[in-house]
Amino acid sequence: MDNEFVTFTIGKKKHIALIAHDNEKPKLIEWCKENYDILKNHSLYGTGTTARLIADKAGLRIKGYNSGPLGGDQQIGAKIVEGVIDFVVLD
């Protein structure tokens, strides 16, 4: 069996998913605030509460999916497979 590799190029504007477990949300929000000037230039995606908190507390535009327990993690996973999301920041 031959080893096959898929090569792809991530564009200058990244599509980044931001996900945090409940007790880690404050750390991710603080990280978003610290990196606001970089993150504002990219497309952001997040699961339920995390997305709402990032929008409210860090002032970033972010597309929210369902909360994790309601399928948000799977929705983001599907977008990764579809090539819509480039990578995930998980805390």
Side-chain angles (χ1 to χ4, degrees), residues 8-73:
F8 64 95
T9 303
I10 298 175
K12 189 171 184 173
K13 182 173 182 176
K14 311 294 187 267
H15 297 269
I16 307 166
L18 303 168
I19 302 172
H21 293 97
D22 286 338
N23 57 341
E24 302 298 325
K25 286 178 181 18
K27 285 178 18 184
L28 183 59
I29 292 163
E30 188 59 34
W31 181 82
C32 287
K33 289 177 182 178
E34 291 168 3
N35 293 284
Y36 176 87
D37 288 334
I38 295 168
L39 293 172
K40 70 180 181 182
N41 298 312
H42 301 285
S43 296
L44 305 177
Y45 307 83
T47 53
T49 304
T50 302
R52 281 192 302 277
L53 289 171
I54 289 170
D56 292 346
K57 296 185 181 280
L60 290 163
R61 288 180 46 112
I62 182 167
K63 176 176 176 36
Y65 289 99
N66 291 342
S67 66
L70 297 177
D73 296 333

Side-chain angles (χ1 to χ4, degrees), residues 15 17 45 63 65 72-88:
H15 297 269
Y45 307 83
K63 176 176 176 36
Y65 289 99
D73 296 333
Q74 287 80 7
Q75 288 176 306
I76 287 179
K79 294 300 178 189
I80 293 168
V81 171
E82 293 170 10
V84 173
I85 293 177
D86 299 316
F87 61 91
V88 177

